[in-house]
Amino acid sequence: MEKHMAVCPYCGAGCKLNLLVENGRVVGAEGLNGVTNEGELCLKGMSGYDFINDTKILTPRILHPMIRRRKGAELERVSWDEALDFTAKHLMEIKAKYGPDSIMLTGSSRGPGNEANYVMQKFTRACVGTNNIDNCARTCHGPSVIGLIDAVGSGAMSVSIPNMENADCVFLFGYNPSASHPIVARRIVKAKEKGAKIIVADPRLIETARIADIYMPIKNGCNLAFMNAFANVIINEGLEDRDFIEAHTVGYDEWWETIKKYTPESVQDITGIDPETFRKAVRMYATSPNSIIGWGMGVTQQRQGVKTVHQIAAVACIANQIGRDAAGLAPVRGQNNVQGSCDMGMWPTLYPGYQKVDDPAIRAKFAKSWGVPEEKLSLEPGFKLTDLPHGVKEGKIHAFYNFGEDPLQTEPDSADMKETLQNCDFVISQDIFMTQTTAYADVVFPGTSWGEHDGVFSASDRTFQRFTAAVPPKGECKHDWQIFSELSTRMGYPMHYENTKEIWDEVRENCPSFYGATYEKMEGVGHAQWPIPTLECPGTPTLFKGGKFNKPDGKARLIAADFVVPTELPDDEYPLVLCTVREVGHYSCRSMTGNCKVLSLLADEPGFVNINPADAEARGIAQDDLVFVKSRRGKVITRANLNERINKGAVYMTYQWWIGKCNQLTMHVTDPLSGTPEDKHSACQVEQIEDQVWAERYAQKLYTDMKDWLAGEASAQDVAPTEALV
């Protein structure tokens, strides 16, 4: 049996593993002694490998390039030369007619690696000539990136995942690690075993709340009011570190003018937390020798996500709970390489290494490296991924290049996104599976999957790690970086690389913070944690040591804002709050985990709506009943899961399900500072279905029809190109 070193392709914990191969097929996985996982793997890490083998459990692999010769025509298999020529011709025509900013591209955080993302953003900027490049961080931790850059100068975790177990206090705010990052949850349990205090603030009684010293069942949508009051208590009870504030922050007086209004009593109706419990939690956090705040999309997918992150950073600064190995900020990223996509400049305002696109000196550096005139590289920020629907409607975006994502499943208001894809002049989808988005594409490029290529991933805590190919590419699949290079060459900007190391070395040369992260350092279970500016540097597990922040003057900014209620509040017609969440056994659009034998047995369509038994009883709904969930955007069928841990007046749905698609119900309303959708708070209703026999048949038909549709679109690749033209 062969063993090939890899990094798990699912969450951002960065677990190291071996893929086990027999007769050219991946047949198993085993944990390696990686810096994060220390030999352990979670359910997805252990069982989420066999999608590589094209099991066709859910949807087929894409193995050959396909095109539609005109909008709305059938897909047909063609040669790589024809597919690339066809794509180059259409993109150049659109660019000539509407300008380079009429083309929108999105990177992939789900397995291609940093090198592929780097080459795509280089193609976007040096060949197309636009900054219209984004990634799925826009819909998850975008507010963390923006908010932390604003406040402390670096949009990433300031502590390492291993050091989380050494904290004296761990405060989890809108973050459920047992479902999102089980290996991180293990670190938190270890911290508890070592004597750490645990604070949990979440509307649901999440798993970690069971071991919490203080659990605060906050109301949905209260985040900024909650954090403002948290800061208020620190100051009013004299728990702040005045010397640290004066030496290492700016903006205190203006910040306090806002914060002084937010006592726990003044926001009790908003947060739902009694003032005494509130104050106990603040004291626990502020007086512990080393405290970490960890947060997830419960914070970021809100109307005021960026402003809440500003306040989280301010709280850490005023209490001097930052800049030490076990004290700091922990926005734990969701997908395995969403940190890496941001690191590589898949961002409309940032080049690789978080270098600003509107800085002429930075532009000059990249222009020289890439061999293009400076004026070819735009100084204007590009469109965000969430700008796509209205960009198409307004005639600003005419082409969309989708790389390894499924926005029709994962973006809010699916009906609006479907209309966007249908109305966009030219859609390219580069993926490993026939997803719903790919089924609407005019060009389909088959990339290699995780397990079939080499590269580097960035874990959530800024740790670079290498992964290697276990099996050769299937069919006619090409490495993603090869596809971008060959397309770029056809469009007049030649690119060619021999391997991923060549690409990575170019990344290092252009990004001072990454320069010391060589392939050699990452051999085996090795790793390199940025910033790592020199070859001699061992890496930087902890940011901001000594109160030195990544700002021109070295000081953190204290930024405050007033609380605003969520956009859509419950009413008589839609009396429940809908909140989207993750689950432990599936991932993203489910194209990967849904094609894994073990994981596909955990649950099936149409998924679940988690509801408090009291709310279910009021609607005549029993456990496992099929129900309708409806909002102002649409209606879906799903299965009721009655759960005492769910707070009354709210329901929770995961976004992996195709038929019980929660994003058919969510709003395309975003945080104005980040463009991140307000997925954590919209109004809905759950309705009983009296005829459960009919409901079962109806749900099964919807699911079968969906799978048949995707399989039918993929079947075009079964007809060889010469036959297709006959």
Side-chain angles (χ1 to χ4, degrees), residues 691-710:
D691 190 341
Q692 287 291 300
V693 174
W694 171 86
E696 293 285 356
R697 291 173 178 166
Y698 175 67
Q700 187 58 49
K701 183 178 186 306
L702 290 176
Y703 188 26
T704 301
D705 288 349
M706 173 75 79
K707 291 175 71 175
D708 288 348
W709 168 53
L710 296 180

mmCIF file with all atom_site columns, all heavy atoms in Angstrom, residues 691-710:
data_model
loop_
_atom_site.group_PDB
_atom_site.id
_atom_site.type_symbol
_atom_site.label_atom_id
_atom_site.label_alt_id
_atom_site.label_comp_id
_atom_site.label_asym_id
_atom_site.label_entity_id
_atom_site.label_seq_id
_atom_site.pdbx_PDB_ins_code
_atom_site.Cartn_x
_atom_site.Cartn_y
_atom_site.Cartn_z
_atom_site.occupancy
_atom_site.B_iso_or_equiv
_atom_site.pdbx_formal_charge
_atom_site.auth_seq_id
_atom_site.auth_comp_id
_atom_site.auth_asym_id
_atom_site.auth_atom_id
_atom_site.pdbx_PDB_model_num
ATOM 1   N N   . ASP A 1 691 ? -50.095 15.583 4.855   1.00 0.00 ? 691 ASP A N   1
ATOM 2   C CA  . ASP A 1 691 ? -49.946 14.318 4.142   1.00 0.00 ? 691 ASP A CA  1
ATOM 3   C C   . ASP A 1 691 ? -48.454 13.989 4.031   1.00 0.00 ? 691 ASP A C   1
ATOM 4   O O   . ASP A 1 691 ? -47.776 14.380 3.087   1.00 0.00 ? 691 ASP A O   1
ATOM 5   C CB  . ASP A 1 691 ? -50.583 14.421 2.750   1.00 0.00 ? 691 ASP A CB  1
ATOM 6   C CG  . ASP A 1 691 ? -50.673 13.074 2.055   1.00 0.00 ? 691 ASP A CG  1
ATOM 7   O OD1 . ASP A 1 691 ? -49.947 12.138 2.456   1.00 0.00 ? 691 ASP A OD1 1
ATOM 8   O OD2 . ASP A 1 691 ? -51.460 12.967 1.086   1.00 0.00 ? 691 ASP A OD2 1
ATOM 9   N N   . GLN A 1 692 ? -47.942 13.241 4.998   1.00 0.00 ? 692 GLN A N   1
ATOM 10  C CA  . GLN A 1 692 ? -46.515 12.928 5.029   1.00 0.00 ? 692 GLN A CA  1
ATOM 11  C C   . GLN A 1 692 ? -46.104 11.938 3.937   1.00 0.00 ? 692 GLN A C   1
ATOM 12  O O   . GLN A 1 692 ? -44.967 11.958 3.469   1.00 0.00 ? 692 GLN A O   1
ATOM 13  C CB  . GLN A 1 692 ? -46.128 12.379 6.400   1.00 0.00 ? 692 GLN A CB  1
ATOM 14  C CG  . GLN A 1 692 ? -46.088 13.443 7.487   1.00 0.00 ? 692 GLN A CG  1
ATOM 15  C CD  . GLN A 1 692 ? -44.943 14.428 7.296   1.00 0.00 ? 692 GLN A CD  1
ATOM 16  O OE1 . GLN A 1 692 ? -43.777 14.037 7.292   1.00 0.00 ? 692 GLN A OE1 1
ATOM 17  N NE2 . GLN A 1 692 ? -45.267 15.713 7.141   1.00 0.00 ? 692 GLN A NE2 1
ATOM 18  N N   . VAL A 1 693 ? -47.041 11.072 3.524   1.00 0.00 ? 693 VAL A N   1
ATOM 19  C CA  . VAL A 1 693 ? -46.737 10.144 2.430   1.00 0.00 ? 693 VAL A CA  1
ATOM 20  C C   . VAL A 1 693 ? -46.485 10.936 1.143   1.00 0.00 ? 693 VAL A C   1
ATOM 21  O O   . VAL A 1 693 ? -45.516 10.694 0.420   1.00 0.00 ? 693 VAL A O   1
ATOM 22  C CB  . VAL A 1 693 ? -47.882 9.133  2.225   1.00 0.00 ? 693 VAL A CB  1
ATOM 23  C CG1 . VAL A 1 693 ? -47.618 8.276  0.989   1.00 0.00 ? 693 VAL A CG1 1
ATOM 24  C CG2 . VAL A 1 693 ? -48.037 8.256  3.459   1.00 0.00 ? 693 VAL A CG2 1
ATOM 25  N N   . TRP A 1 694 ? -47.360 11.896 0.872   1.00 0.00 ? 694 TRP A N   1
ATOM 26  C CA  . TRP A 1 694 ? -47.153 12.758 -0.296  1.00 0.00 ? 694 TRP A CA  1
ATOM 27  C C   . TRP A 1 694 ? -45.843 13.523 -0.182  1.00 0.00 ? 694 TRP A C   1
ATOM 28  O O   . TRP A 1 694 ? -45.090 13.644 -1.153  1.00 0.00 ? 694 TRP A O   1
ATOM 29  C CB  . TRP A 1 694 ? -48.315 13.751 -0.414  1.00 0.00 ? 694 TRP A CB  1
ATOM 30  C CG  . TRP A 1 694 ? -48.055 14.800 -1.466  1.00 0.00 ? 694 TRP A CG  1
ATOM 31  C CD1 . TRP A 1 694 ? -48.309 14.724 -2.793  1.00 0.00 ? 694 TRP A CD1 1
ATOM 32  C CD2 . TRP A 1 694 ? -47.429 16.087 -1.259  1.00 0.00 ? 694 TRP A CD2 1
ATOM 33  N NE1 . TRP A 1 694 ? -47.893 15.868 -3.442  1.00 0.00 ? 694 TRP A NE1 1
ATOM 34  C CE2 . TRP A 1 694 ? -47.341 16.716 -2.525  1.00 0.00 ? 694 TRP A CE2 1
ATOM 35  C CE3 . TRP A 1 694 ? -46.938 16.749 -0.147  1.00 0.00 ? 694 TRP A CE3 1
ATOM 36  C CZ2 . TRP A 1 694 ? -46.804 17.989 -2.687  1.00 0.00 ? 694 TRP A CZ2 1
ATOM 37  C CZ3 . TRP A 1 694 ? -46.386 18.006 -0.305  1.00 0.00 ? 694 TRP A CZ3 1
ATOM 38  C CH2 . TRP A 1 694 ? -46.321 18.618 -1.569  1.00 0.00 ? 694 TRP A CH2 1
ATOM 39  N N   . ALA A 1 695 ? -45.570 14.034 1.021   1.00 0.00 ? 695 ALA A N   1
ATOM 40  C CA  . ALA A 1 695 ? -44.376 14.844 1.221   1.00 0.00 ? 695 ALA A CA  1
ATOM 41  C C   . ALA A 1 695 ? -43.111 14.028 0.956   1.00 0.00 ? 695 ALA A C   1
ATOM 42  O O   . ALA A 1 695 ? -42.155 14.527 0.343   1.00 0.00 ? 695 ALA A O   1
ATOM 43  C CB  . ALA A 1 695 ? -44.359 15.409 2.636   1.00 0.00 ? 695 ALA A CB  1
ATOM 44  N N   . GLU A 1 696 ? -43.094 12.775 1.418   1.00 0.00 ? 696 GLU A N   1
ATOM 45  C CA  . GLU A 1 696 ? -41.925 11.928 1.176   1.00 0.00 ? 696 GLU A CA  1
ATOM 46  C C   . GLU A 1 696 ? -41.720 11.712 -0.323  1.00 0.00 ? 696 GLU A C   1
ATOM 47  O O   . GLU A 1 696 ? -40.592 11.782 -0.825  1.00 0.00 ? 696 GLU A O   1
ATOM 48  C CB  . GLU A 1 696 ? -42.087 10.576 1.887   1.00 0.00 ? 696 GLU A CB  1
ATOM 49  C CG  . GLU A 1 696 ? -42.083 10.653 3.409   1.00 0.00 ? 696 GLU A CG  1
ATOM 50  C CD  . GLU A 1 696 ? -40.700 10.888 3.991   1.00 0.00 ? 696 GLU A CD  1
ATOM 51  O OE1 . GLU A 1 696 ? -39.713 10.910 3.223   1.00 0.00 ? 696 GLU A OE1 1
ATOM 52  O OE2 . GLU A 1 696 ? -40.599 11.056 5.220   1.00 0.00 ? 696 GLU A OE2 1
ATOM 53  N N   . ARG A 1 697 ? -42.792 11.441 -1.039  1.00 0.00 ? 697 ARG A N   1
ATOM 54  C CA  . ARG A 1 697 ? -42.685 11.224 -2.485  1.00 0.00 ? 697 ARG A CA  1
ATOM 55  C C   . ARG A 1 697 ? -42.252 12.501 -3.205  1.00 0.00 ? 697 ARG A C   1
ATOM 56  O O   . ARG A 1 697 ? -41.437 12.460 -4.136  1.00 0.00 ? 697 ARG A O   1
ATOM 57  C CB  . ARG A 1 697 ? -44.023 10.729 -3.036  1.00 0.00 ? 697 ARG A CB  1
ATOM 58  C CG  . ARG A 1 697 ? -44.390 9.312  -2.578  1.00 0.00 ? 697 ARG A CG  1
ATOM 59  C CD  . ARG A 1 697 ? -45.791 8.954  -3.006  1.00 0.00 ? 697 ARG A CD  1
ATOM 60  N NE  . ARG A 1 697 ? -46.143 7.589  -2.621  1.00 0.00 ? 697 ARG A NE  1
ATOM 61  C CZ  . ARG A 1 697 ? -47.378 7.100  -2.622  1.00 0.00 ? 697 ARG A CZ  1
ATOM 62  N NH1 . ARG A 1 697 ? -48.395 7.885  -3.006  1.00 0.00 ? 697 ARG A NH1 1
ATOM 63  N NH2 . ARG A 1 697 ? -47.602 5.856  -2.267  1.00 0.00 ? 697 ARG A NH2 1
ATOM 64  N N   . TYR A 1 698 ? -42.789 13.624 -2.761  1.00 0.00 ? 698 TYR A N   1
ATOM 65  C CA  . TYR A 1 698 ? -42.468 14.909 -3.380  1.00 0.00 ? 698 TYR A CA  1
ATOM 66  C C   . TYR A 1 698 ? -40.981 15.248 -3.182  1.00 0.00 ? 698 TYR A C   1
ATOM 67  O O   . TYR A 1 698 ? -40.289 15.629 -4.135  1.00 0.00 ? 698 TYR A O   1
ATOM 68  C CB  . TYR A 1 698 ? -43.337 16.000 -2.766  1.00 0.00 ? 698 TYR A CB  1
ATOM 69  C CG  . TYR A 1 698 ? -43.029 17.410 -3.218  1.00 0.00 ? 698 TYR A CG  1
ATOM 70  C CD1 . TYR A 1 698 ? -43.253 17.802 -4.529  1.00 0.00 ? 698 TYR A CD1 1
ATOM 71  C CD2 . TYR A 1 698 ? -42.520 18.346 -2.320  1.00 0.00 ? 698 TYR A CD2 1
ATOM 72  C CE1 . TYR A 1 698 ? -42.967 19.104 -4.945  1.00 0.00 ? 698 TYR A CE1 1
ATOM 73  C CE2 . TYR A 1 698 ? -42.239 19.641 -2.720  1.00 0.00 ? 698 TYR A CE2 1
ATOM 74  C CZ  . TYR A 1 698 ? -42.455 20.015 -4.034  1.00 0.00 ? 698 TYR A CZ  1
ATOM 75  O OH  . TYR A 1 698 ? -42.178 21.298 -4.447  1.00 0.00 ? 698 TYR A OH  1
ATOM 76  N N   . ALA A 1 699 ? -40.491 15.076 -1.957  1.00 0.00 ? 699 ALA A N   1
ATOM 77  C CA  . ALA A 1 699 ? -39.083 15.374 -1.681  1.00 0.00 ? 699 ALA A CA  1
ATOM 78  C C   . ALA A 1 699 ? -38.169 14.453 -2.483  1.00 0.00 ? 699 ALA A C   1
ATOM 79  O O   . ALA A 1 699 ? -37.162 14.890 -3.038  1.00 0.00 ? 699 ALA A O   1
ATOM 80  C CB  . ALA A 1 699 ? -38.801 15.235 -0.189  1.00 0.00 ? 699 ALA A CB  1
ATOM 81  N N   . GLN A 1 700 ? -38.534 13.168 -2.560  1.00 0.00 ? 700 GLN A N   1
ATOM 82  C CA  . GLN A 1 700 ? -37.706 12.231 -3.308  1.00 0.00 ? 700 GLN A CA  1
ATOM 83  C C   . GLN A 1 700 ? -37.689 12.567 -4.790  1.00 0.00 ? 700 GLN A C   1
ATOM 84  O O   . GLN A 1 700 ? -36.650 12.464 -5.453  1.00 0.00 ? 700 GLN A O   1
ATOM 85  C CB  . GLN A 1 700 ? -38.217 10.798 -3.112  1.00 0.00 ? 700 GLN A CB  1
ATOM 86  C CG  . GLN A 1 700 ? -37.319 9.733  -3.726  1.00 0.00 ? 700 GLN A CG  1
ATOM 87  C CD  . GLN A 1 700 ? -35.906 9.783  -3.181  1.00 0.00 ? 700 GLN A CD  1
ATOM 88  O OE1 . GLN A 1 700 ? -35.697 9.821  -1.977  1.00 0.00 ? 700 GLN A OE1 1
ATOM 89  N NE2 . GLN A 1 700 ? -34.916 9.793  -4.064  1.00 0.00 ? 700 GLN A NE2 1
ATOM 90  N N   . LYS A 1 701 ? -38.832 12.998 -5.319  1.00 0.00 ? 701 LYS A N   1
ATOM 91  C CA  . LYS A 1 701 ? -38.885 13.370 -6.738  1.00 0.00 ? 701 LYS A CA  1
ATOM 92  C C   . LYS A 1 701 ? -38.006 14.594 -7.015  1.00 0.00 ? 701 LYS A C   1
ATOM 93  O O   . LYS A 1 701 ? -37.268 14.636 -8.014  1.00 0.00 ? 701 LYS A O   1
ATOM 94  C CB  . LYS A 1 701 ? -40.319 13.661 -7.169  1.00 0.00 ? 701 LYS A CB  1
ATOM 95  C CG  . LYS A 1 701 ? -40.445 13.997 -8.662  1.00 0.00 ? 701 LYS A CG  1
ATOM 96  C CD  . LYS A 1 701 ? -41.878 14.244 -9.075  1.00 0.00 ? 701 LYS A CD  1
ATOM 97  C CE  . LYS A 1 701 ? -41.975 14.431 -10.597 1.00 0.00 ? 701 LYS A CE  1
ATOM 98  N NZ  . LYS A 1 701 ? -41.086 15.473 -11.119 1.00 0.00 ? 701 LYS A NZ  1
ATOM 99  N N   . LEU A 1 702 ? -38.074 15.596 -6.138  1.00 0.00 ? 702 LEU A N   1
ATOM 100 C CA  . LEU A 1 702 ? -37.235 16.774 -6.320  1.00 0.00 ? 702 LEU A CA  1
ATOM 101 C C   . LEU A 1 702 ? -35.752 16.395 -6.330  1.00 0.00 ? 702 LEU A C   1
ATOM 102 O O   . LEU A 1 702 ? -34.970 16.877 -7.160  1.00 0.00 ? 702 LEU A O   1
ATOM 103 C CB  . LEU A 1 702 ? -37.497 17.791 -5.205  1.00 0.00 ? 702 LEU A CB  1
ATOM 104 C CG  . LEU A 1 702 ? -38.845 18.509 -5.212  1.00 0.00 ? 702 LEU A CG  1
ATOM 105 C CD1 . LEU A 1 702 ? -38.960 19.408 -3.975  1.00 0.00 ? 702 LEU A CD1 1
ATOM 106 C CD2 . LEU A 1 702 ? -39.038 19.332 -6.469  1.00 0.00 ? 702 LEU A CD2 1
ATOM 107 N N   . TYR A 1 703 ? -35.382 15.516 -5.417  1.00 0.00 ? 703 TYR A N   1
ATOM 108 C CA  . TYR A 1 703 ? -33.985 15.100 -5.305  1.00 0.00 ? 703 TYR A CA  1
ATOM 109 C C   . TYR A 1 703 ? -33.557 14.303 -6.538  1.00 0.00 ? 703 TYR A C   1
ATOM 110 O O   . TYR A 1 703 ? -32.497 14.542 -7.122  1.00 0.00 ? 703 TYR A O   1
ATOM 111 C CB  . TYR A 1 703 ? -33.822 14.266 -4.038  1.00 0.00 ? 703 TYR A CB  1
ATOM 112 C CG  . TYR A 1 703 ? -32.400 13.912 -3.670  1.00 0.00 ? 703 TYR A CG  1
ATOM 113 C CD1 . TYR A 1 703 ? -31.325 14.694 -4.055  1.00 0.00 ? 703 TYR A CD1 1
ATOM 114 C CD2 . TYR A 1 703 ? -32.140 12.776 -2.899  1.00 0.00 ? 703 TYR A CD2 1
ATOM 115 C CE1 . TYR A 1 703 ? -30.023 14.360 -3.686  1.00 0.00 ? 703 TYR A CE1 1
ATOM 116 C CE2 . TYR A 1 703 ? -30.849 12.437 -2.530  1.00 0.00 ? 703 TYR A CE2 1
ATOM 117 C CZ  . TYR A 1 703 ? -29.797 13.231 -2.931  1.00 0.00 ? 703 TYR A CZ  1
ATOM 118 O OH  . TYR A 1 703 ? -28.525 12.894 -2.571  1.00 0.00 ? 703 TYR A OH  1
ATOM 119 N N   . THR A 1 704 ? -34.396 13.357 -6.943  1.00 0.00 ? 704 THR A N   1
ATOM 120 C CA  . THR A 1 704 ? -34.084 12.553 -8.123  1.00 0.00 ? 704 THR A CA  1
ATOM 121 C C   . THR A 1 704 ? -33.978 13.422 -9.369  1.00 0.00 ? 704 THR A C   1
ATOM 122 O O   . THR A 1 704 ? -33.059 13.258 -10.188 1.00 0.00 ? 704 THR A O   1
ATOM 123 C CB  . THR A 1 704 ? -35.156 11.475 -8.332  1.00 0.00 ? 704 THR A CB  1
ATOM 124 O OG1 . THR A 1 704 ? -35.209 10.638 -7.167  1.00 0.00 ? 704 THR A OG1 1
ATOM 125 C CG2 . THR A 1 704 ? -34.849 10.613 -9.547  1.00 0.00 ? 704 THR A CG2 1
ATOM 126 N N   . ASP A 1 705 ? -34.907 14.362 -9.513  1.00 0.00 ? 705 ASP A N   1
ATOM 127 C CA  . ASP A 1 705 ? -34.874 15.257 -10.670 1.00 0.00 ? 705 ASP A CA  1
ATOM 128 C C   . ASP A 1 705 ? -33.594 16.089 -10.688 1.00 0.00 ? 705 ASP A C   1
ATOM 129 O O   . ASP A 1 705 ? -32.988 16.308 -11.748 1.00 0.00 ? 705 ASP A O   1
ATOM 130 C CB  . ASP A 1 705 ? -36.096 16.184 -10.666 1.00 0.00 ? 705 ASP A CB  1
ATOM 131 C CG  . ASP A 1 705 ? -37.393 15.450 -11.003 1.00 0.00 ? 705 ASP A CG  1
ATOM 132 O OD1 . ASP A 1 705 ? -37.323 14.285 -11.444 1.00 0.00 ? 705 ASP A OD1 1
ATOM 133 O OD2 . ASP A 1 705 ? -38.468 16.062 -10.817 1.00 0.00 ? 705 ASP A OD2 1
ATOM 134 N N   . MET A 1 706 ? -33.166 16.567 -9.506  1.00 0.00 ? 706 MET A N   1
ATOM 135 C CA  . MET A 1 706 ? -31.938 17.367 -9.418  1.00 0.00 ? 706 MET A CA  1
ATOM 136 C C   . MET A 1 706 ? -30.727 16.532 -9.828  1.00 0.00 ? 706 MET A C   1
ATOM 137 O O   . MET A 1 706 ? -29.894 16.960 -10.639 1.00 0.00 ? 706 MET A O   1
ATOM 138 C CB  . MET A 1 706 ? -31.761 17.904 -7.996  1.00 0.00 ? 706 MET A CB  1
ATOM 139 C CG  . MET A 1 706 ? -30.445 18.611 -7.743  1.00 0.00 ? 706 MET A CG  1
ATOM 140 S SD  . MET A 1 706 ? -30.348 20.255 -8.457  1.00 0.00 ? 706 MET A SD  1
ATOM 141 C CE  . MET A 1 706 ? -31.296 21.173 -7.232  1.00 0.00 ? 706 MET A CE  1
ATOM 142 N N   . LYS A 1 707 ? -30.606 15.331 -9.272  1.00 0.00 ? 707 LYS A N   1
ATOM 143 C CA  . LYS A 1 707 ? -29.477 14.476 -9.605  1.00 0.00 ? 707 LYS A CA  1
ATOM 144 C C   . LYS A 1 707 ? -29.480 14.093 -11.087 1.00 0.00 ? 707 LYS A C   1
ATOM 145 O O   . LYS A 1 707 ? -28.432 14.052 -11.737 1.00 0.00 ? 707 LYS A O   1
ATOM 146 C CB  . LYS A 1 707 ? -29.492 13.224 -8.727  1.00 0.00 ? 707 LYS A CB  1
ATOM 147 C CG  . LYS A 1 707 ? -29.192 13.512 -7.262  1.00 0.00 ? 707 LYS A CG  1
ATOM 148 C CD  . LYS A 1 707 ? -29.321 12.274 -6.392  1.00 0.00 ? 707 LYS A CD  1
ATOM 149 C CE  . LYS A 1 707 ? -28.207 11.294 -6.636  1.00 0.00 ? 707 LYS A CE  1
ATOM 150 N NZ  . LYS A 1 707 ? -28.271 10.140 -5.697  1.00 0.00 ? 707 LYS A NZ  1
ATOM 151 N N   . ASP A 1 708 ? -30.665 13.808 -11.619 1.00 0.00 ? 708 ASP A N   1
ATOM 152 C CA  . ASP A 1 708 ? -30.770 13.455 -13.040 1.00 0.00 ? 708 ASP A CA  1
ATOM 153 C C   . ASP A 1 708 ? -30.358 14.627 -13.932 1.00 0.00 ? 708 ASP A C   1
ATOM 154 O O   . ASP A 1 708 ? -29.715 14.434 -14.972 1.00 0.00 ? 708 ASP A O   1
ATOM 155 C CB  . ASP A 1 708 ? -32.194 13.017 -13.377 1.00 0.00 ? 708 ASP A CB  1
ATOM 156 C CG  . ASP A 1 708 ? -32.535 11.646 -12.807 1.00 0.00 ? 708 ASP A CG  1
ATOM 157 O OD1 . ASP A 1 708 ? -31.614 10.944 -12.350 1.00 0.00 ? 708 ASP A OD1 1
ATOM 158 O OD2 . ASP A 1 708 ? -33.732 11.279 -12.820 1.00 0.00 ? 708 ASP A OD2 1
ATOM 159 N N   . TRP A 1 709 ? -30.740 15.828 -13.534 1.00 0.00 ? 709 TRP A N   1
ATOM 160 C CA  . TRP A 1 709 ? -30.382 17.022 -14.306 1.00 0.00 ? 709 TRP A CA  1
ATOM 161 C C   . TRP A 1 709 ? -28.865 17.186 -14.364 1.00 0.00 ? 709 TRP A C   1
ATOM 162 O O   . TRP A 1 709 ? -28.289 17.376 -15.441 1.00 0.00 ? 709 TRP A O   1
ATOM 163 C CB  . TRP A 1 709 ? -31.041 18.251 -13.682 1.00 0.00 ? 709 TRP A CB  1
ATOM 164 C CG  . TRP A 1 709 ? -30.534 19.569 -14.210 1.00 0.00 ? 709 TRP A CG  1
ATOM 165 C CD1 . TRP A 1 709 ? -30.462 19.958 -15.514 1.00 0.00 ? 709 TRP A CD1 1
ATOM 166 C CD2 . TRP A 1 709 ? -30.022 20.652 -13.430 1.00 0.00 ? 709 TRP A CD2 1
ATOM 167 N NE1 . TRP A 1 709 ? -29.943 21.239 -15.595 1.00 0.00 ? 709 TRP A NE1 1
ATOM 168 C CE2 . TRP A 1 709 ? -29.666 21.682 -14.340 1.00 0.00 ? 709 TRP A CE2 1
ATOM 169 C CE3 . TRP A 1 709 ? -29.855 20.871 -12.066 1.00 0.00 ? 709 TRP A CE3 1
ATOM 170 C CZ2 . TRP A 1 709 ? -29.138 22.894 -13.905 1.00 0.00 ? 709 TRP A CZ2 1
ATOM 171 C CZ3 . TRP A 1 709 ? -29.322 22.080 -11.648 1.00 0.00 ? 709 TRP A CZ3 1
ATOM 172 C CH2 . TRP A 1 709 ? -28.975 23.069 -12.558 1.00 0.00 ? 709 TRP A CH2 1
ATOM 173 N N   . LEU A 1 710 ? -28.210 17.073 -13.208 1.00 0.00 ? 710 LEU A N   1
ATOM 174 C CA  . LEU A 1 710 ? -26.757 17.248 -13.178 1.00 0.00 ? 710 LEU A CA  1
ATOM 175 C C   . LEU A 1 710 ? -26.043 16.115 -13.912 1.00 0.00 ? 710 LEU A C   1
ATOM 176 O O   . LEU A 1 710 ? -25.076 16.339 -14.645 1.00 0.00 ? 710 LEU A O   1
ATOM 177 C CB  . LEU A 1 710 ? -26.268 17.333 -11.736 1.00 0.00 ? 710 LEU A CB  1
ATOM 178 C CG  . LEU A 1 710 ? -26.777 18.541 -10.938 1.00 0.00 ? 710 LEU A CG  1
ATOM 179 C CD1 . LEU A 1 710 ? -26.217 18.517 -9.521  1.00 0.00 ? 710 LEU A CD1 1
ATOM 180 C CD2 . LEU A 1 710 ? -26.421 19.846 -11.623 1.00 0.00 ? 710 LEU A CD2 1
#
